Amino acid sequence: MTQDDQPVVILAHVPHRAAAAAFEAAVRQASMRGARLLILNALHIQPGKQRAEARYGELKAMAARAREAGVPTEFEQPVGPDEATMILNRAHGLPAEVLVIGTRRRSTVGKLIMGSTAQRILMEADCEVLVVKPG
C-alpha cells in the first residue's frame, strides 16, 4: 500500500484547551483505522496584518509523539484568510476518512458575532467529523 492509498485521519489543530484531547483522539482513530495522521494547523492571516507565528516546534513534537505510538504522521501549516476553507479543502483533496477537531465553549453572542469554524466544518465536511471536548 502506498502513502497515496493509505487512509488519512486529519487533526485540525488549534492550540487551546481541547488540543491535547483532540490529538489523543486523532492518534487513536489513525491507529484503529490503519491510517496515517495529518496534523493541520491552519494559520489565519487578516489583510494588512503580519503573518502569524509558525508553530513548527510544537507540531514537530506532536508528530514525533504520534510516530512513537506507531502512527505515520506528517504536519502542514496552510496560510490563508479562512481556516475552515483551508481545512475542508485539504480534507476533500485527500480524501480523509475522519476529521478530528477540538472544541471550546463559547458564548451565544461569541458564536453569533465570530461565527464558528467547528460548526462550518461539521456542516460542510465530506467525511466523518469527530468533535472532542477538553476533559
Side-chain angles (χ1 to χ4, degrees), residues 34-91:
R36 63 188 168 105
L37 175 62
L38 173 60
I39 303 169
L40 278 183
N41 177 229
L43 298 176
H44 178 247
I45 303 298
Q46 294 179 348
K49 301 275 182 169
Q50 287 187 337
R51 183 179 172 150
E53 181 90 13
R55 298 183 180 278
Y56 290 113
E58 178 182 344
L59 297 172
K60 280 184 182 180
M62 289 173 69
R65 284 182 29 221
R67 287 185 199 113
E68 287 171 7
V71 174
T73 305
E74 57 196 90
F75 64 88
E76 297 176 8
Q77 280 193 301
V79 177
D82 179 23
E83 295 99 331
T85 298
M86 289 184 282
I87 292 164
L88 290 164
N89 285 347
R90 190 66 176 111

Side-chain angles (χ1 to χ4, degrees), residues 114-132:
M114 300 294 286
S116 172
T117 300
Q119 182 177 346
R120 184 157 166 232
I121 289 170
L122 277 167
M123 299 304 291
E124 296 181 25
D126 292 335
C127 62
E128 294 178 40
V129 177
L130 175 60
V131 180
V132 180

Side-chain angles (χ1 to χ4, degrees), residues 10-29:
I10 294 178
L11 169 62
H13 174 69
V14 177
H16 61 69
R17 278 185 350 125
F23 171 75
E24 296 300 327
V27 170
R28 277 193 310 274
Q29 286 292 316

